[in-house]
Amino acid sequence: MAAPEQAYSSEEETEPEPRPRDTPEDISLEAAANTVAFHPCRDVLAAGDVDGDVYLYSYSCLEGGNKELWSSGHHLKSCREVSFSHDGQKLFTVSKDKSIHILSVEEGRLVTRFSKAHNSALNSLLVIDEHLFATGDDRGELKVWDLRKGTSIMEMKQHEEYISDMAVDGNKKLLLTTSGDGTMGVFNIRRRRFELLSEPQNGDLSAIALMKRGKKVACGSSEGTIYLFNWDGFGATSDRFALKAESIDCMVPVTESIVCTGCTDGVIRAVNILPNRVIGSVGQHVGEPIEQLAKCHTGPFLASCAHDQKVKFWDISSLNSVIVDDYRKKKKKSGQLKSLSHKAFGTGEDFFAGLREEAAEPKDEDSSGTETDSD
């Protein structure tokens, strides 16, 4: 009776090993994803889609290594944003149905629900610390919530349009908001008071990132411009930088000086802040507007989601060694972005012309004229 067992184990041994990849495979969803977020300490990613479904996946750099862990259909309308708690045990979600849900990461069980959290559809979410989180809605109202009290502790409406994104400083004192009314809002969450609105910029302010160890604030806009503010000068911009892109819909900092932007044209650009340069393309969802970007906490990956119903992973390890010098050598414009990963490719479309901005390496010295559009 031993012979069949030997034959069986021999067959087991001949099964091919999964091949390693540079990045995890794409995740295909049943509907377009609005939002993605990485777990703080595990190889796990959450996504929320336009049907209101929330998914949790484990991911791996082996072929066939991605696995759906659970899905939740508690939201009645589109899930606009997902975010993990800092300890990774809870997943916060907000929806067009005006509700906030808090799910257990282990099993996807609904732990807490604020069913009518706002009077308008929720659009943005920021987890501040283990007790506090903030939400913003389509009509410009901001709320800060305290889980210990089970209710909101600050409610303010200073914006005239939707709140698109939020950020908080390292001391968890000042909360910054961007809005469709073209302004950045500053709120003191310790003293629970409104501080000021910036002067309005052209177009909607769509995204925000703290750069240069918190000394600079970068805001993306629907006009394709990045506006820069000094930390102590929130009222007016200190600089502006026009990308030749239709609209910046989302952005995420990857180093103290480099931010990745997701644009309506489907391209993910790596952009250096001060000196202001487009370094190149990290990747793309061809012809599909990018909804959100997320930076991995456990590996050199960026995740993106777009209207193509896919979550894609990009290798951004090369960005850690990029040095951008003030000096730039002028060469003939190539008409396409430099590819920063093997999955990224440039295109020759007109609005990419002049964006070939290179890192300071001997073979990558060509760069175009200035892209800064200062007052």
Side-chain angles (χ1 to χ4, degrees), residues 154 156 158 173-176 184-198 234:
M154 189 170 98
M156 297 199 174
Q158 298 295 332
K173 178 185 176 183
L174 293 183
L175 177 71
L176 309 182
M184 180 179 72
V186 183
F187 300 85
N188 189 318
I189 52 179
R190 282 194 191 161
R191 297 187 178 181
R192 302 183 191 178
R193 74 183 186 195
F194 165 68
E195 296 286 344
L196 76 152
L197 288 181
S198 74
F234 296 127

Side-chain angles (χ1 to χ4, degrees), residues 275-329:
N276 299 329
R277 310 276 175 83
V278 176
I279 301 165
S281 168
V282 169
Q284 64 286 309
H285 293 252
V286 180
E288 299 287 349
I290 294 169
E291 288 290 338
Q292 196 167 45
L293 301 171
K295 182 177 179 286
C296 180
H297 304 285
T298 59
F301 306 128
L302 189 77
S304 59
C305 62
H307 292 190
D308 56 9
Q309 303 182 16
K310 291 187 187 319
V311 175
K312 297 189 174 192
F313 296 84
W314 312 97
D315 182 358
I316 55 170
S317 55
S318 66
L319 295 179
N320 290 320
S321 58
V322 167
I323 300 170
V324 177
D325 203 308
D326 282 320
Y327 171 77
R328 292 193 286 182
K329 188 177 177 183

Side-chain angles (χ1 to χ4, degrees), residues 96-111:
K96 187 179 177 181
D97 66 13
K98 307 178 186 177
S99 72
I100 302 166
H101 291 171
I102 304 175
L103 307 169
S104 70
V105 169
E106 278 307 312
E107 57 220 21
R109 180 172 51 85
L110 183 60
V111 177

Side-chain angles (χ1 to χ4, degrees), residues 222-293:
S222 61
E223 301 291 306
T225 299
I226 293 177
Y227 294 97
L228 299 179
F229 295 85
N230 292 323
W231 181 255
D232 292 325
F234 296 127
T237 58
S238 62
D239 201 358
R240 66 184 67 183
F241 174 35
L243 306 188
K244 290 177 182 173
E246 294 172 354
S247 172
I248 299 168
D249 295 334
C250 53
M251 53 196 225
V252 64
V254 294
T255 72
E256 290 298 334
S257 298
I258 297 173
V259 65
C260 282
T261 64
C263 299
T264 303
D265 57 30
V267 179
I268 303 165
R269 293 166 173 80
V271 179
N272 193 84
I273 301 298
L274 298 174
N276 299 329
R277 310 276 175 83
V278 176
I279 301 165
S281 168
V282 169
Q284 64 286 309
H285 293 252
V286 180
E288 299 287 349
I290 294 169
E291 288 290 338
Q292 196 167 45
L293 301 171

Side-chain angles (χ1 to χ4, degrees), residues 54-79:
V54 176
Y55 296 89
L56 196 76
Y57 282 86
S58 62
Y59 59 87
S60 162
C61 285
L62 293 176
E63 283 191 352
N66 297 342
K67 180 184 177 185
E68 182 183 322
L69 301 177
W70 52 256
S71 64
S72 166
H74 291 293
H75 282 304
L76 303 176
K77 295 181 180 178
S78 177
C79 177

